[in-house]
Amino acid sequence: MLQSIHLKFSSVGRVRKSPVFQVLLLGAFAVKAALAAGGFVVEDIQVRGLQRISAGTVYNYLPVNVGETFSEEKQGAAIRALFNTGFFKDITLEREGGTLIVNVVERPSVAKVVIEGNKDIKKEDLTEALKKIGLAEGKVYNKQILDKVEQELRRQYFSHGKYGLKIKTEVTELTRNRVGIHIDISEGKVAKIKQINIVGNKAFSNDMLRKEFELSTTNFLSFYSKDDQYSKQKLSADLEKLRSYYLDRGYINFSIESTQVDITADKKEIYITINVKEGDVYTLEKVKLSGELIVPPEELIKLVKVGPGEIFSRKNATETSKAISDRLGDEGYTFANVNMVPEINEAQKNVVMTFFVDPGKRVYVRRINVKGNTKTRDEVIRREMRQMESSWAASSKIERSKTRLDRLGYFEEVGVETPPVVGTADQIDVNFTVKEKASGNLQAGVGYSQVQGIIFNANVSQDNIFGTGKRLDFAFNNSNILTRYNLGYSDPYYTLDGVALGYNVGYTSRNAYQANIASYNTDIANAGMNFGIPLNEFDRLGFDIDLKHTGISQTTLSTDTIINFIQQQGSSFNTLSTSAGWTHDTLDRAVFSTKGGQQRIAALVSVPGSDLKFYKLSYKHQHFFPLSNDFTFRLLGEVAHGGGYGGTKDLPFFENYFAGGTGDVRGFMQNTLGPIDTCTPPACTSSTYSYLRPIGGSTKFIGKAELFFPVPFLSDVKSVRIGTFVDAGTLAPGLDTGDLRKFFRYSAGLSGEWMSPFGALAVSVAQPLNSESTDRTQAFQFTFGSGF
């Protein structure tokens, strides 16, 4: 006799109950009648109605197997398990003898998702966001997901300040149990912050407090900063800034009572109201150190940035806590805690501040691991380590090791982690992760400079030969100004102590007139070697020996200076020069630095016995100040002076310094600042006067102030930056202050730099601020295909 039971679940029903409740309700009576005798033993399981889902998937979720008894208790579990997969909208269980029949009706799949009307947010970003909540092509369609879709889209657009957003969603049934989803977006206009009002403040004005905020009413920079677009996250950050502003000025009991954000009916304007309670100003009565200090107290006292009688400042107290913690970290107490414990005297309005030191256990480095260096040898990386294995962990040494790897120039990214060793309380591993970049460079191309004209160049260089860290390069450049060949080799670790050794040979032919200076030609062949000796982590000495042969020839436009020099000194010179330099370098990276500084003092002298005897002295100092995550301010100063000795009266004119152009004082043509060459009859004809050019000078002063920031809408691109600057400089034939003042020039403008795959590009738009009628100015300047 054929026996059967039917237990059916449908996701669509008249009863407004949960799906599982409907299943149990519909099947309750049938189950009770058919299984009252204790169920049946399942001899086989069959699944019917599948289209895309495999039978194996159903078997995996079904909580019953062949040979087991299918009882009343397992029915509800079976229905729930299959329904919770989200794959089915109808499920029916039937019994035919010893066979359990599972009838299913699959939910449709999403064949395509079309998004239209989006302008402010890219389609790719919206698609990725919808994918994370379960809506994507190939996924199972569920009506409930559409509500989540609308919520996610609103969240995305609200974060962009678009509160007038309208969303229309259409679902179209397609063949083979599929659906198409069309999402039409009407973004509306961005809601602008109309007013930010602070209520309850007495000590500080609204204008003063609003300067601390990132959010602002609309101003002329809002198109770039978007500071007039409301964001809940930005407001939370601004409220914390407001709290810090008061706490740093002694208002310990300051509190924000409430915050209201109102939007107009047309969704275009937002009003923010912040209610505050200032409280009283508290001063410090006493500052104490307690706990296990580890290092001598006198060392820690130097790190304390607060003192009795001062107004309480949370910022200074926090900096003190961090400074002490960092100092303990250098002793191996990586997980030290320095807690601030304030004792507030409400009656006297003062505070006793105690810094309680809990050093914890001294932590040692078990291993230093490096990952990602597929080409660079392990020893090249490990020789930059300042943190050693099996020694105690020092926070400053670990960070310095990371900085040194960054400065090598072999890696795009360098990361470091210090996970504790499992099963120990006093050991960590230091894990460095690097992402290598192409250290080899093979270029053959054409560039253009406003000074040099079309530049043909070929360059073969390898900064990291076979992963050893050594450098080899060959360069060829050809332009209207010069032709240059150069071959160089350097080993930054010639000795294990970090002594560097390098060699170079080259040949240069230059047409000076094409470079905007006096008319003469030079042919120079040179060979040299250099040494670098590290003094400490930041200081280095450098020594160079160069042998140079220089040939000079005059032209039909050559003036008195060139003609007289050749008549007196000759046109061919052999010089052996030595130079020494000291460099102090704390920059965080070699290109596009954001913090730190660099100083360099250099001296060069041609040794006795050379055909020409002269010397050169120079000093250059630049420093980068990080103003925020995106803005960096740079100050640069440079001074140089040269002269002759022995039988050479002055610095040879072809060794002069030059100024003007993209390298120093922008807004003036390249090399055009300073003294102009002279020409007197009968050496020159009258027509020669119109060709007089700068001859350079033996003394040079340059100063720069520049603010760098990312390109709007390209803030994530690290190879591009723009800036605003003020340049100043002067060039004179000697140290006479009158000449230095006479040739002093300065300018201001905008700059842009891009390290492109095809070469370096530098552009500037500058306005000279004190140019004379005889100056050769040039507002727009650029160079491409050579370094800057």
Side-chain angles (χ1 to χ4, degrees):
M1 179 178 178
L2 177 63
Q3 294 180 336
S4 66
I5 62 169
H6 297 275
L7 182 59
K8 180 180 180 181
F9 163 67
S10 174
S11 61
V12 180
R14 296 179 181 177
V15 182
R16 299 296 183 181
K17 300 291 185 180
S18 68
V20 176
F21 177 82
Q22 294 177 33
V23 171
L24 298 179
L25 181 63
L26 292 171
F29 295 105
V31 170
K32 185 175 181 181
L35 301 176
F40 68 97
V41 176
V42 178
E43 298 176 359
D44 189 18
I45 301 174
Q46 296 182 9
V47 184
R48 299 172 182 173
L50 295 175
Q51 295 180 348
R52 302 181 315 277
I53 310 299
S54 67
T57 301
V58 177
Y59 295 148
N60 287 336
Y61 285 102
L62 196 64
V64 62
N65 297 310
V66 173
E68 296 180 355
T69 300
F70 189 68
S71 62
E72 185 175 356
E73 289 78 14
K74 291 187 177 181
Q75 295 167 46
I79 293 296
R80 281 191 295 269
L82 294 178
F83 172 72
N84 288 337
T85 63
F87 298 151
F88 312 109
K89 64 179 179 180
D90 286 292
I91 304 170
T92 301
L93 298 181
E94 296 181 356
R95 172 189 173 188
E96 293 181 0
T99 302
L100 177 63
I101 308 298
V102 182
N103 295 309
V104 297
V105 177
E106 293 183 0
R107 294 182 184 274
S109 65
V110 178
K112 60 180 179 179
V113 179
V114 179
I115 303 175
E116 293 183 345
N118 57 301
K119 298 177 182 178
D120 197 51
I121 304 178
K122 295 180 181 178
K123 180 180 178 181
E124 293 78 10
D125 296 336
L126 291 178
T127 301
E128 184 63 27
L130 297 182
K131 184 178 181 180
K132 291 180 180 179
I133 63 174
L135 180 64
E137 294 181 4
K139 292 280 188 178
V140 174
Y141 169 67
N142 188 334
K143 287 184 177 181
Q144 296 176 351
I145 205 69
L146 293 182
D147 293 334
K148 294 183 180 180
V149 167
E150 185 168 339
Q151 293 174 10
E152 175 62 21
L153 291 177
R154 290 191 182 280
R155 186 189 69 80
Q156 292 272 347
Y157 277 96
F158 285 2
S159 66
H160 285 69
K162 294 197 171 183
Y163 296 92
L165 174 71
K166 294 181 180 179
I167 303 170
K168 183 180 179 182
T169 305
E170 293 182 0
V171 180
T172 305
E173 293 186 3
L174 304 175
T175 59
R176 301 194 304 276
N177 197 27
R178 300 176 305 151
V179 297
I181 299 177
H182 183 273
I183 302 173
D184 187 31
I185 298 173
S186 176
E187 294 183 339
K189 294 184 177 180
V190 175
K192 307 291 187 180
I193 297 176
K194 184 67 175 178
Q195 187 180 83
I196 300 177
N197 191 30
I198 303 173
V199 180
N201 53 307
K202 298 177 182 178
F204 307 103
S205 67
N206 277 2
D207 290 339
M208 185 178 296
L209 296 177
R210 281 195 293 258
K211 289 179 181 179
E212 302 297 314
F213 286 14
E214 181 179 354
L215 293 177
S216 173
T217 53
T218 304
N219 55 74
F220 73 98
L221 286 178
S222 293
F223 77 96
Y224 167 63
S225 64
K226 301 188 184 302
D227 55 2
D228 61 345
Q229 295 183 10
Y230 171 75
S231 164
K232 185 177 180 180
Q233 291 77 13
K234 288 182 180 179
L235 178 59
S236 297
D238 285 343
L239 293 178
E240 183 56 35
K241 290 179 183 178
L242 179 62
R243 186 176 290 105
S244 297
Y245 186 86
Y246 273 93
L247 289 176
D248 293 343
R249 288 159 179 78
Y251 293 86
I252 290 181
N253 294 324
F254 171 82
S255 64
I256 298 175
E257 301 292 299
S258 63
T259 303
Q260 294 89 38
V261 179
D262 300 311
I263 188 168
T264 57
D266 59 5
K267 310 291 186 182
K268 293 181 180 180
E269 295 180 347
I270 291 177
Y271 293 79
I272 301 175
T273 304
I274 304 169
N275 296 284
V276 303
K277 184 178 179 180
E278 292 182 332
D280 297 317
V281 176
Y282 286 71
T283 58
L284 287 169
E285 180 187 3
K286 195 181 298 183
V287 179
K288 298 188 295 184
L289 292 174
S290 66
E292 191 177 353
L293 302 184
I294 300 297
V295 299
E298 55 270 18
E299 287 192 34
L300 297 183
I301 290 174
K302 295 178 182 178
L303 303 176
V304 176
K305 300 183 178 182
V306 294
E310 296 180 3
I311 293 177
F312 172 82
S313 169
R314 185 178 70 170
K315 177 183 178 182
N316 291 341
T318 302
E319 289 179 353
T320 298
S321 179
K322 184 179 184 304
I324 296 174
S325 180
D326 290 345
R327 179 64 183 87
L328 295 176
D330 288 341
E331 298 294 325
Y333 297 90
T334 306
F335 304 117
N337 289 318
V338 180
N339 298 314
M340 298 179 293
V341 184
E343 300 176 22
I344 301 175
N345 187 327
E346 297 288 356
Q348 299 296 325
K349 307 299 181 187
N350 58 36
V351 180
V352 176
M353 177 62 73
T354 302
F355 293 94
F356 184 82
V357 179
D358 178 16
K361 290 187 177 182
R362 175 172 276 183
V363 178
Y364 293 82
V365 175
R366 183 184 67 165
R367 293 194 188 97
I368 296 177
N369 303 308
V370 182
K371 184 172 64 174
N373 55 317
T374 56
K375 182 180 68 174
T376 305
R377 295 181 184 178
D378 207 52
E379 65 183 74
V380 174
I381 295 177
R382 290 186 178 274
R383 69 192 184 191
E384 302 298 328
M385 295 294 125
R386 294 303 176 256
Q387 173 65 59
M388 298 292 106
E389 292 181 343
S390 301
S391 63
W392 70 61
S395 305
S396 60
K397 291 181 179 179
I398 295 174
E399 183 59 30
R400 183 59 188 169
S401 300
K402 177 181 179 298
T403 299
R404 289 181 66 90
L405 292 180
D406 259 327
R407 288 169 53 86
L408 286 176
Y410 307 156
F411 311 112
E412 289 183 14
E413 298 176 4
V414 178
V416 62
E417 295 178 340
T418 55
V421 176
V422 177
T424 67
D426 61 350
Q427 293 184 37
I428 63 171
D429 286 337
V430 180
N431 299 331
F432 287 93
T433 303
V434 299
K435 182 180 179 182
E436 288 190 310
K437 65 180 181 181
S439 57
N441 186 23
L442 173 60
Q443 288 185 340
V446 179
Y448 183 81
S449 167
Q450 287 175 305
V451 176
Q452 300 185 45
I454 296 177
I455 307 169
F456 297 96
N457 62 78
N459 187 297
V460 181
S461 66
Q462 175 57 259
D463 290 337
N464 190 12
I465 306 172
F466 308 121
T468 62
K470 300 175 183 178
R471 175 181 174 83
L472 178 68
D473 67 273
F474 170 75
F476 160 72
N477 296 85
N478 185 41
S479 68
N480 294 335
I481 295 177
L482 60 83
T483 298
R484 173 181 293 164
Y485 304 90
N486 189 75
L487 177 65
Y489 166 83
S490 63
D491 182 355
Y493 276 84
Y494 180 68
T495 70
L496 294 177
D497 297 329
V499 174
L501 174 65
Y503 306 93
N504 69 283
V505 294
Y507 169 79
T508 303
S509 176
R510 186 173 72 158
N511 182 335
Y513 188 78
Q514 293 294 330
N516 297 326
I517 55 182
S519 182
Y520 61 92
N521 298 321
T522 60
D523 293 284
I524 301 173
N526 67 286
M529 65 185 303
N530 55 79
F531 301 89
I533 303 174
L535 300 178
N536 53 46
E537 191 62 34
F538 304 103
D539 297 278
R540 192 175 188 87
L541 290 179
F543 299 94
D544 293 68
I545 301 175
D546 285 290
L547 178 63
K548 183 164 62 175
H549 172 78
T550 304
I552 301 178
S553 60
Q554 65 187 60
T555 71
T556 57
L557 299 178
S558 295
T559 55
D560 295 359
T561 303
I562 293 92
I563 296 173
N564 293 338
F565 184 91
I566 293 175
Q567 291 175 349
Q568 296 172 9
Q569 302 288 344
S571 61
S572 180
F573 313 98
N574 294 316
T575 56
L576 177 65
S577 63
T578 62
S579 63
W582 165 79
T583 303
H584 177 75
D585 193 338
T586 61
L587 295 176
D588 61 335
R589 58 179 70 124
V591 179
F592 288 2
S593 302
T594 60
K595 64 180 179 180
Q598 185 183 70
Q599 297 182 66
R600 176 172 172 78
I601 298 175
L604 179 148
V605 60
S606 60
V607 302
S610 299
D611 293 338
L612 295 174
K613 302 176 181 63
F614 60 91
Y615 65 89
K616 285 184 170 183
L617 305 173
S618 65
Y619 173 72
K620 183 177 181 180
H621 186 186
Q622 63 175 336
H623 203 94
F624 292 83
F625 303 88
L627 303 182
S628 67
N629 291 335
D630 296 328
F631 289 77
T632 302
F633 181 66
R634 178 181 72 162
L635 287 176
L636 180 146
E638 181 180 1
V639 58
H641 174 71
Y645 75 95
T648 305
K649 181 179 178 182
D650 299 309
L651 183 69
F653 67 88
F654 51 86
E655 293 285 349
N656 275 347
Y657 301 105
F658 294 90
T662 56
D664 33 58
V665 186
R666 286 160 284 192
F668 295 88
M669 288 188 68
Q670 195 82 12
N671 302 327
T672 59
L673 294 186
I676 303 296
D677 197 9
T678 58
C679 184
T680 56
C684 304
T685 64
S686 58
S687 61
T688 309
Y689 289 102
S690 62
Y691 296 100
L692 294 179
R693 297 286 184 87
I695 193 64
S698 60
T699 303
K700 177 180 178 180
F701 288 90
I702 297 295
K704 289 173 175 285
E706 193 156 8
L707 177 66
F708 296 110
F709 47 92
V711 180
F713 315 114
L714 293 176
S715 58
D716 293 334
V717 180
K718 302 302 181 184
S719 60
V720 183
R721 69 179 180 183
I722 57 178
T724 178
F725 64 84
V726 175
D727 291 344
T730 185
L731 199 67
L735 294 173
D736 183 83
T737 56
D739 286 338
L740 292 172
R741 287 195 298 268
K742 176 182 178 182
F743 297 112
F744 178 77
R745 299 290 186 271
Y746 55 96
S747 63
L750 301 174
S751 65
E753 298 173 350
W754 178 31
M755 296 297 295
S756 79
F758 311 103
L761 172 66
V763 299
S764 65
V765 178
Q767 175 61 50
L769 301 177
N770 68 333
S771 60
E772 300 288 343
S773 59
T774 55
D775 291 335
R776 303 175 70 182
T777 62
Q778 191 174 52
F780 176 74
Q781 295 175 315
F782 74 93
T783 180
F784 177 68
S786 59
F788 55 79

